[in-house]
Amino acid sequence: DIQMTQSPSSLSASVGDRVTITCRTSQSIGSYLNWYQQKPGKAPKLLIYDASSLQGGVPSRFSGSGSGTDFTLTISSLQPEDFATYSCQQSSSTPWTFGQGTRVEIK
Amino acid sequence: EVQLVESGGGLVQPGGSLRLSCAASGFTFSGYTMNWVRQAPGKGLEWVSFISTSGSFTHHADSVRGRFTISRDNAKNSLYLQMNSLRDEDTAVYYCVRDTGSNPRFDSWGQGTLVTVSS
């Protein structure tokens, strides 16, 4: 199975900050990496697919980059509604696996 | 609007069985592969099961293989998960999830249904 490691596991940031979350995979997955946002008590929401493609309806302040084993999710200017948990997921091979999540909290 | 509505969760004793259902609407259900993804309390997401558009191909995570069975009824726009020999570690919120793409992304999720395995 492909192991997913996200860092940091949590972070505190202020509105307007630039936030970067990293996801590393145990083997190369090309660009088959997706990012999700999850708020407490809610289902996850797809933000980014294929490493850098923005899902429809997602604000442009979200962006993704990377290939191979190292990937990044960036929020260019953190908004109040962005405080949530973010998870990466590889779609290169089954079983499809997720990172453990990064919780973004208000500073 | 895509809607996925799960039902069938609840409290069950270890070794027991439960059948989850997911009612789909707002899209051509028969044209999409579907999945179940779960999340244990306070934990990350775990993919559980996949089913092809026709239902002829299924795939399960090692943790549930031989105990869980995914199925679908395209005439009823419904997805199912039959869960047998339940264990404490199966306690989780179970999400019905649509995927898209040859390297799938999970683009639509239900609200989830809680399964609690406890004596």
Side-chain angles (χ1 to χ4, degrees):
Chain A
D1 298 3
I2 297 175
Q3 308 304 312
M4 314 288 288
T5 303
Q6 281 183 240
S7 60
S9 56
S10 66
L11 64 90
S12 295
S14 300
V15 172
D17 284 354
R18 182 181 181 88
V19 169
T20 298
I21 298 168
T22 296
C23 180
R24 178 164 289 175
T25 60
S26 60
Q27 63 190 73
S28 179
I29 61 169
S31 296
Y32 298 124
L33 191 285
N34 308 314
W35 289 98
Y36 301 85
Q37 176 194 66
Q38 187 176 24
K39 297 182 179 179
K42 300 295 186 182
K45 172 188 173 183
L46 177 65
L47 297 177
I48 301 284
Y49 63 94
D50 293 348
S52 61
S53 296
L54 196 66
Q55 176 70 354
V58 174
S60 59
R61 63 181 179 273
F62 291 94
S63 64
S65 64
S67 66
T69 61
D70 292 292
F71 301 86
T72 299
L73 173 69
T74 299
I75 309 172
S76 60
S77 178
L78 198 65
Q79 297 302 301
E81 59 268 31
D82 300 338
F83 292 96
T85 297
Y86 295 84
S87 300
C88 57
Q89 173 247 329
Q90 64 82 17
S91 57
S92 175
S93 62
T94 58
W96 298 302
T97 46
F98 293 84
Q100 81 280 11
T102 295
R103 185 175 179 182
V104 176
E105 300 174 319
I106 302 172
K107 181 183 271 185
Chain B
E1 179 194 3
V2 173
Q3 281 203 319
L4 299 166
V5 180
E6 301 94 337
S7 60
L11 175 64
V12 60
Q13 292 187 339
S17 298
L18 214 53
R19 189 194 196 207
L20 305 183
S21 299
C22 171
S25 60
F27 66 103
T28 304
F29 180 70
S30 60
Y32 287 84
T33 49
M34 297 294 295
N35 302 264
W36 290 96
V37 173
R38 69 184 180 183
Q39 186 169 36
K43 302 296 184 182
L45 298 160
E46 179 189 16
W47 167 79
V48 173
S49 300
F50 162 91
I51 189 166
S52 63
T53 52
S54 67
S56 60
F57 178 75
T58 63
H59 188 44
H60 299 273
D62 287 347
S63 57
V64 306
R65 188 169 296 126
R67 301 187 298 122
F68 289 12
T69 302
I70 188 173
S71 62
R72 66 192 295 164
D73 185 336
N74 286 341
K76 294 184 177 180
N77 290 337
S78 294
L79 178 72
Y80 306 101
L81 186 68
Q82 177 67 43
M83 303 186 295
N84 299 329
S85 303
L86 282 160
R87 305 168 179 168
D88 290 351
E89 56 264 35
D90 295 319
T91 294
V93 173
Y94 285 74
Y95 294 102
C96 168
V97 184
R98 189 182 82 169
D99 77 59
T100 189
S102 54
N103 291 88
R105 52 194 182 265
F106 300 130
D107 69 340
S108 295
W109 298 64
Q111 85 287 351
T113 186
L114 176 62
V115 172
T116 303
V117 184
S118 175
S119 53

